Amino acid sequence: MTTLRQLEYLVRIVDEGSFTRAAALLHVSQPALSHQVRALEHAVGGALLERLPRAVRLTPMGRALLPHARTALAEAERARCAARRAAGLERGEVQVATVYSVTLGVLPPVLRAWHRAYEGVRVRLFEHRHADELAEAMLAGQADLAIGPPPPNWDGPVRPLGEEEFVVVLPPGDPAVPAAATQIELGRLATRDWVHYAPGHGLADVLDRAAAHAGFRPHAAVRTEQTAAAPILAAAGLGPALVPASIVPDPFGGRVLRVDPPLRRPLAAFSRAEPDPLSAAFLDLLTRHAPPLPAHVRAVLPTARLS
């Protein structure tokens, strides 16, 4: 018989890429972890993992089972929360999946307003590097609500939230543009070394596509996994960076320039089914407290159109 614990063990091994690391995080011995995986494989009728010298890899049967395992664990967690709410043990939880840039730039004022209005209701965040990963996680039942670039052909409710504006960040006094300029064509930076993003990061795709449209391929001076690091590294002089305007910190020591022509991508909230009352309340605050551009960025981009 397949158990939730066995499914949890499988998911953790896959996420960590190692029996040893998974066992440490789960606080079980490695032999006990291996025994449970073998029991799960016996229950489903075949091998789920291929043990390699330095890693593990899913078999075709394992790849077929994994999304269902994630869904089962997510549903079990929601059932636990519902039962505790009914027993008066907790006052609720909203589970929100998103991408890194939204966590940094869009959600802080929303979460601040939520805490004031619903102090007893927790928000649990699941953060992803790429919009494709976000959509896959939502299909697997990870969260109640997702916020990010809307996936194409999504089979569920989608609420548009406007557009995310991208800006170019440069160090103070950069010779590429006049001191009074507020915008720049990406092609003018074609020969520069860029602050780029790590492979697999969603913003790496945004920069590569925008540069290709401008007729060049960006050469990376440095690649960062951390979205918040890109504007800081650019301001320090490592190279220009293309970042969502909402993540530019305040105060900020670098130059912020609007892209010419403007570069934006849509943002939306989406879910598998109609939002429950808590999720609907979160959506309402989201639409009222998530500015398209933070005030300190609007101040240096006077021609920027708010979406």
Side-chain angles (χ1 to χ4, degrees):
M1 179 180 177
T2 300
T3 67
L4 284 172
R5 175 165 293 183
Q6 291 169 348
L7 297 177
E8 179 187 11
Y9 286 0
L10 173 68
V11 169
R12 185 55 63 91
I13 291 167
V14 172
D15 288 347
E16 296 302 320
S18 163
F19 274 77
T20 302
R21 290 195 296 271
L25 290 171
L26 291 164
H27 304 292
V28 298
S29 68
Q30 192 168 333
L33 180 63
S34 297
H35 173 75
Q36 288 296 326
V37 171
R38 286 194 298 271
L40 177 59
E41 290 176 327
H42 178 75
V44 301
L48 299 171
L49 295 168
E50 181 182 358
R51 283 84 165 165
L52 303 175
R54 293 174 180 251
V56 293
R57 184 167 59 195
L58 285 165
T59 66
M61 182 177 286
R63 289 194 294 272
L65 176 62
L66 183 64
H68 298 284
R70 293 191 190 277
T71 299
L73 293 172
E75 291 297 336
E77 174 64 15
R78 276 192 284 277
R80 184 192 69 82
C81 290
R84 288 178 63 84
R85 286 197 298 271
L89 297 176
E90 58 185 50
R91 295 173 60 186
E93 178 180 86
V94 177
Q95 297 178 345
V96 178
T98 189
V99 290
Y100 292 158
S101 62
V102 170
T103 300
L104 288 168
V106 174
L107 285 183
V110 179
L111 296 176
R112 185 165 54 247
W114 179 265
H115 181 69
R116 289 196 299 263
Y118 301 91
E119 185 176 353
V121 182
R122 299 178 301 171
V123 177
R124 183 176 180 185
L125 291 178
F126 300 90
E127 297 169 276
H128 297 275
R129 299 193 309 160
H130 199 289
D132 291 346
E133 293 178 7
L134 173 63
E136 290 172 5
M138 283 301 292
L139 285 173
Q142 183 183 67
D144 303 313
L145 186 69
I147 304 167
N153 305 315
W154 181 256
D155 187 18
V158 177
R159 179 182 293 187
L161 298 173
E163 294 178 314
E164 185 175 43
E165 175 110 18
F166 285 84
V167 295
V168 169
V169 175
L170 292 166
D174 191 285
V177 291
T182 60
Q183 58 187 17
I184 189 170
E185 297 176 4
L186 290 183
R188 293 186 59 182
L189 302 171
T191 61
R192 301 285 292 274
D193 292 340
W194 285 73
V195 175
H196 214 319
Y197 301 91
H201 195 297
L203 295 185
D205 290 349
V206 172
L207 174 54
D208 286 341
R209 287 195 299 267
H213 189 264
F216 70 98
R217 182 176 181 179
H219 182 269
V222 63
R223 287 183 180 269
T224 179
E225 180 73 33
Q226 303 298 323
T227 305
I232 306 301
L233 295 173
L238 274 76
L242 184 69
V243 306
S246 61
I247 75 164
V248 175
D250 184 24
F252 183 59
R255 291 196 65 186
V256 181
L257 301 168
R258 190 183 184 201
V259 180
D260 182 23
L263 178 61
R264 303 181 178 96
R265 68 175 177 179
L267 290 181
F270 55 96
S271 55
R272 296 180 311 281
E274 287 299 328
D276 59 47
L278 274 181
S279 299
F282 190 89
L283 268 174
D284 180 61
L285 282 182
L286 178 65
T287 56
R288 289 191 284 120
H289 292 276
L293 286 177
H296 68 283
V297 175
R298 287 202 302 270
V300 297
L301 298 177
T303 61
R305 177 178 62 84
L306 300 185
S307 303

